Amino acid sequence: MDVILAVMPLAIEVAFVLLAVAMIADWLSHRERRRAYLALAFGSLTLLILVAPSLSQSGPYGQLITDIGIVLFLLSGWALLMFRDSFISLRRSTRRAVTASLVLVAALGMVAQLPADTQQSHGPLQTFALAAILTAWGLCVIEPIVTLWLASRGRPAVEGARMRALSLGYAGMVGVIFVGTLGGELVRNPAGQFVLDLVALAMVPMLYFSFHPPVLLRRLWSQPEEEELRQGLHSLLTFSPNRVTQAQRALDWATRLVGGAGALIVDWDSSILAFRGMNGEEAEAVAADAAARPEAGEVRAPRRGATTLVIPLELQEGVASMVVVAGPFTPLFGDDELSRLRQYAGSIAASLDRVTLNVRIQDLEKAKTEFMNIASHELRGPMTVIKGYLTMLEGGSLGTLAPKAQSVLPLLIAKADEVNAMVEQMLEAARLEEGHLTLHKVKGDIVELTELAIDSVRPMLAGRELDVDAPSTPIPADVDTQRFQIVVRNLISNAIKYSPEGTPITVVVNRNGRTGKVIVIDQGIGISQHDRAKLFTKFGRIEREATLHVAGTGLGLWLSREIARMHDGDLTVDSTEGEGSTFTFEVPITSS
Ligand code: ADP
């Protein structure tokens, strides 16, 4: 026990020296006022611990050392209070009053010639001076302990934990100093001394972790927050309505990550994309300040008292930057969060790029729709003229043609119909895209409408066999008669295009409960399971050797399904590759 008791003070001295050196190094590498105060607080406390063994010396230097001890002690309290003041400002008058009182108390301690040994008997002035010193120091230290603890609530996990560690560490020190000074008999015995030393020693790692927590501890502290962050990142990457909303969301998370007071994103073209925690004017000022820095990467520079942190965002168009304006605790409590912020910058850049890309794709889609609209309108006129003259030629109203010329007319008419059908698809697709496709529903008979559609594609059949299996009684349904025929025509013309000449095509019309059905069956090339995903998509053509020569827009099935669904019906497919396909078009029927 004796050995342990002898070693303990040495261990405490070494631990405090290491702590003070680390704090001073931290201050030297960051050169910030608040770090300077913290280094001063620990440095003076450490010096006090180092001179403490010499305190009981007698002789001319005995009193001098005691006086130095008093100054160091009060200085450590003052520095901690100033540290607290550097992020939660005290009133100027309070600051002055505290400093003046401490000077007075120190002077009083010197005048009273306090004995080095606190347990020694004191005169009335000495007792008063000792009480004043302890009270002044206690107030300087207890106030930040409470403030730090209270301010730690609601802050990012790691930051909050560090503040609590600092608060607890100091509370422990206060306990040790007060019990050590006023504890009397309680700490005179070896066991009491040992416990006190142990507590003092335990405070060292606590204080160290408060400004330099090891990665493991940070992870432990931030565990509950991680899941939330993951979800935040997920939503950031998944939902992207527009760049501004996206940027605002990103800033929300960025400030939470580092405990910043505000943040903004300066776009690659130097415009401010989004800001939070400040007004427009302040945002402009911070952005200008950030832009004025020639250095790449993150830079910290005090600006009107606030520290800003610039993180570059590598976007496709150029480099944007995220600027986080430090909150009261950010500069001291945040190295870990800052590195996470840098990682986070990658996700932000990716999400912003994604939105840019989405907008570009939307623009392209719009341009395509516009083109489709213009092209189909322009084609429709000439095609009507061509089809008209071909029909007149075939009917003989323009005179008699040579038999050879007459023989090619049906093919020409079929081809003109094919082009017309494609133009019609493009027009309808453009209307659908622009939200202009509205149905004009009337009471119709789907048996009759199917027959009309078959008649209109007959020229395309070119002598091919088409079986129709339809009931003799009408099947009534509320449909847009033109659009209903478009769907049936698409299905039949596909059956013609994608099945070899000798094979039959069957069209079945029937009703099943409250559903009317038009089923188009072919024995053609069929569609593989893999290709089926593409089938009802816009411009979704399936590239196959056998159908390379077949003309088409890839719009027919997409449009047909949309039309079917607008009728509260559906369009489905059942197909086996190499054997044929069955397309079923359903619409609800009207109860007559
Ligand atoms: P397209 O103008 O190309 O015919 P559609 O949207 O009507 O456009 O059809 C999309 C693709 O689906 C076609 O390119 C074709 O590959 C395939 N397809 C459509 N109908 C059939 C069918 N009856 N048999 C086999 N493949 C078909």
Side-chain angles (χ1 to χ4, degrees):
M1 190 70 181
D2 283 353
V3 180
I4 296 175
L5 274 180
V7 170
M8 275 307 245
L10 188 68
I12 292 174
E13 279 174 17
V14 172
F16 267 89
V17 167
L18 289 178
L19 186 65
V21 167
M23 293 260 179
I24 291 168
D26 182 56
W27 164 58
L28 288 177
S29 66
H30 288 88
R31 293 278 175 182
E32 278 178 335
R33 196 168 68 99
R34 61 192 59 177
R35 287 176 204 257
Y37 283 133
L38 208 54
L40 184 62
F42 282 95
S44 49
L45 206 61
T46 305
L47 275 180
L48 180 64
I49 289 169
L50 291 179
V51 298
S54 330
L55 277 176
S56 42
Q57 261 183 21
S58 49
Y61 295 118
Q63 197 57 52
L64 180 66
I65 291 171
T66 310
D67 291 346
I68 291 174
I70 293 172
V71 172
L72 286 175
F73 185 55
L74 290 173
L75 188 63
S76 76
W78 177 82
L80 188 72
L81 193 69
M82 288 305 112
F83 165 70
R84 169 250 197 257
D85 166 68
S86 66
F87 48 81
I88 305 174
S89 268
L90 292 166
R91 271 209 301 270
R92 189 178 248 220
S93 54
T94 316
R95 220 163 29 217
R96 280 193 185 150
V98 169
T99 312
S101 315
L102 287 177
V103 172
L104 274 178
V105 170
L108 180 67
M110 290 177 199
V111 171
Q113 299 229 319
L114 271 185
D117 186 355
T118 52
Q119 312 289 339
Q120 203 177 310
S121 59
H122 297 89
L125 182 66
Q126 288 175 330
T127 308
F128 177 71
L130 182 65
I133 290 172
L134 285 177
T135 310
W137 187 83
L139 288 179
C140 285
V141 173
I142 289 168
E143 201 278 347
I145 290 173
V146 176
T147 311
L148 278 170
W149 188 274
L150 292 179
S152 74
R153 290 180 305 182
R155 306 206 66 84
V158 174
E159 200 183 312
R162 296 171 82 173
M163 289 162 75
R164 281 190 293 278
L166 186 61
S167 172
L168 271 181
Y170 251 93
M173 293 307 300
V174 173
V176 169
I177 288 172
F178 275 83
V179 175
T181 319
L182 308 171
E185 287 309 314
L186 200 68
V187 288
R188 283 277 164 100
N189 62 67
Q193 189 60 47
F194 176 71
V195 171
L196 217 56
D197 285 352
L198 211 60
V199 174
L201 206 57
M203 290 308 117
V204 176
M206 183 83 99
L207 290 167
Y208 180 76
F209 290 158
S210 74
F211 76 104
H212 216 293
V215 175
L216 204 71
L217 202 60
R218 284 165 196 257
R219 292 229 178 101
L220 203 72
W221 282 339
S222 62
Q223 204 98 56
E225 223 175 35
E226 285 295 329
E227 185 51 28
E228 224 186 318
L229 174 70
R230 247 195 299 277
Q231 299 220 336
L233 273 183
H234 178 72
S235 79
L236 190 73
L237 289 170
T238 335
F239 313 111
S240 41
N242 57 56
R243 291 181 88 232
V244 174
T245 323
Q246 196 74 342
Q248 250 146 9
R249 268 196 209 145
L251 291 180
D252 216 37
W253 272 100
T255 45
R256 277 175 78 175
L257 258 185
V258 294
L264 62 91
I265 290 182
V266 184
D267 216 346
W268 59 275
D269 61 358
S270 303
S271 61
I272 295 177
L273 189 58
F275 57 88
R276 59 166 281 137
M278 59 183 89
N279 61 34
E281 233 168 77
E282 286 166 340
E284 295 277 353
V286 173
D289 189 45
R293 311 238 195 88
E295 303 96 317
E298 61 184 88
V299 200
R300 291 150 168 250
R303 182 184 198 298
R304 289 187 203 137
T307 299
T308 57
L309 170 83
V310 184
I311 307 252
L313 301 175
E314 311 271 347
L315 301 182
Q316 270 176 352
E317 284 111 326
V319 182
S321 47
M322 178 164 64
V323 186
V324 181
V325 180
F329 298 93
T330 324
L332 189 72
F333 302 93
D335 289 350
D336 180 52
E337 291 82 350
L338 292 186
S339 76
R340 279 166 80 195
L341 194 58
R342 242 173 287 147
Q343 290 167 9
Y344 183 56
S347 306
I348 296 176
S351 78
L352 287 175
D353 276 342
R354 222 179 81 111
V355 184
T356 313
L357 217 64
N358 273 356
V359 171
R360 224 179 273 160
I361 290 171
Q362 274 168 14
D363 287 349
L364 274 175
E365 285 282 310
K366 224 168 123 193
K368 208 155 67 175
T369 307
E370 265 166 31
F371 171 75
M372 217 156 55
N373 207 351
I374 295 167
S376 48
H377 267 112
E378 295 300 321
L379 284 172
R380 194 156 66 161
M383 278 316 296
T384 315
V385 178
I386 293 171
K387 172 80 192 291
Y389 277 109
L390 286 176
T391 317
M392 280 156 75
L393 275 175
E394 194 189 32
S397 52
L398 295 178
T400 323
L401 285 178
K404 249 190 176 167
Q406 184 76 34
S407 70
V408 296
L409 276 177
L411 179 70
L412 287 182
I413 289 174
K415 289 295 166 194
D417 281 341
E418 218 175 285
V419 176
N420 269 335
M422 285 201 266
V423 169
E424 190 183 58
Q425 276 180 1
M426 282 157 66
L427 268 175
E428 287 284 275
R431 282 192 198 114
L432 189 65
E433 282 288 276
E434 290 167 345
H436 296 155
L437 201 154
T438 38
L439 296 183
H440 303 290
K441 283 197 203 172
V442 291
K443 210 178 240 4
D445 167 18
I446 64 169
V447 179
E448 187 193 336
L449 290 173
T450 305
E451 274 159 4
L452 281 174
I454 292 172
D455 283 344
S456 68
V457 289
R458 253 187 225 292
M460 274 182 79
L461 275 170
R464 284 187 59 174
E465 193 185 327
L466 179 95
D467 302 323
V468 182
D469 176 3
S472 50
T473 49
I475 302 176
D478 279 336
V479 290
D480 181 323
T481 53
Q482 292 306 316
R483 264 83 187 222
F484 185 91
Q485 289 184 66
I486 287 179
V487 177
V488 178
R489 265 206 302 272
N490 275 341
L491 297 181
I492 299 173
S493 73
N494 277 351
I496 298 169
K497 289 196 296 188
Y498 303 112
S499 63
E501 248 171 53
T503 58
I505 295 165
T506 310
V507 179
V508 180
V509 188
N510 63 26
R511 62 184 295 170
N512 186 357
R514 305 195 54 77
T515 310
K517 292 183 180 179
V518 180
I519 305 163
V520 180
I521 307 157
D522 66 55
Q523 294 174 14
I525 55 176
I527 302 144
S528 71
Q529 192 70 35
H530 171 260
D531 288 335
R532 234 167 280 176
K534 212 175 175 189
L535 209 56
F536 295 99
T537 60
K538 196 163 43 151
F539 301 113
R541 303 206 73 201
I542 300 163
E543 314 253 328
R544 279 172 301 201
E545 195 70 30
T547 58
L548 278 182
H549 63 283
V550 179
T553 57
L555 291 170
L557 286 180
W558 168 71
L559 187 67
S560 300
R561 177 175 268 186
E562 291 294 322
I563 291 176
R565 290 187 173 168
M566 282 170 85
H567 278 89
D568 297 322
D570 206 356
L571 177 62
T572 51
V573 66
D574 185 16
S575 181
T576 310
E577 199 175 11
E579 288 182 18
S581 314
T582 300
F583 282 87
T584 306
F585 171 34
E586 303 180 348
V587 286
I589 59 175
T590 334
S591 43
S592 45

